[in-house]
Amino acid sequence: MTSNSASAEPRPESAGSVIPRHVDGTAPRHPVPRHVAIIMDGNGRWAKARGLPRAAGHKAGAEAARKVLRASGEAGVECLTLYAFSSENWRRPEAEINDLMGLLRFYLQSELNSLHREGIRLKIIGDHNAFKPDVAKMIDHAVSKTAANTRMTLAIALNYGARAEIVKAVGRIAGSGADMAQISEEMIDAALDTAELPPLDLLIRTSGEQRLSNFLLWQVAYSEMLFVDTLWPDFGAEALNAALADFAGRERRFGGL
Ligand code: IPE
Ligand code: IPE
Ligand code: MG
């Protein structure tokens, strides 16, 4: 038995078993993960293989993100979380960091209206206030402009590190005056940057690396994981749909039978 997707038995709400409808109202054939997160890795190697500068890989990677966002929405995914810049990526050369910030500026400007038109809410996880003030301001503007949208959530992890997120959550709880001897999983869940997002169903990493690189360490406890060799700029709608089909064929047990 590798699949229970055809089973008539209901699965727990948190199992990603909710079958959202497509935008056109038709039901998809398979259970669709409510929340997909992607470690978008391999931009540099993609560029190197073509004799291009790393910046060209990041630009192609941003285009891939655009396509994957659209494909996720069409498939009925409620929330897509993209790891765009880790708290460890500050270790890269300043010129590369500047290229990444330039791309972020460009896409925030060029995509904001279409995100809003398509009913997509933008959420940021991580600490984007460490970015240059103009970028931080653009991000805040995009988040507040799209805050009431309900069709889908795009969460972008910026200057994000999962350990720092957990430390920050515990600090928030302590600062609220809660009795720290009574701390619960629910309290930590609610204090994380991902508090308003659905439970993480599927984590994908591209480029053949099989590590989490400090991404969503708490949230991944019962997620399905998929590691693919495709370099991120080559990942598009087809690869996303293949990942969703793979997810649909998995049996999730959550510790039960
Ligand atoms: C992922 O691609 C993008 C970011 C981390 C910002 P990389 O830049 O890590 O590409 P590789 O891993 O060097 O190929
Ligand atoms: C993880 O990729 C971070 C992002 C995709 C933004 P890295 O390329 O930074 O991860 P490591 O250094 O290979 O672990
Ligand atoms: Mg990398």
Side-chain angles (χ1 to χ4, degrees), residues 100-111:
L100 287 166
M101 294 303 142
L103 268 178
L104 188 60
R105 266 191 204 97
F106 175 78
Y107 276 92
L108 278 169
Q109 223 147 40
S110 64
E111 288 298 300

Side-chain angles (χ1 to χ4, degrees), residues 39-46 54 58 83-86 89 92 96 100 205 207 209 211 231-232:
I39 304 175
M40 311 184 287
D41 199 13
N43 295 350
R45 278 162 282 170
W46 183 92
R54 290 179 63 84
H58 293 314
Y83 203 5
F85 193 86
S86 78
N89 287 146
R92 296 192 178 197
E96 179 163 350
L100 287 166
R205 183 171 188 145
S207 88
E209 309 296 349
R211 56 176 170 264
L231 300 173
W232 175 248

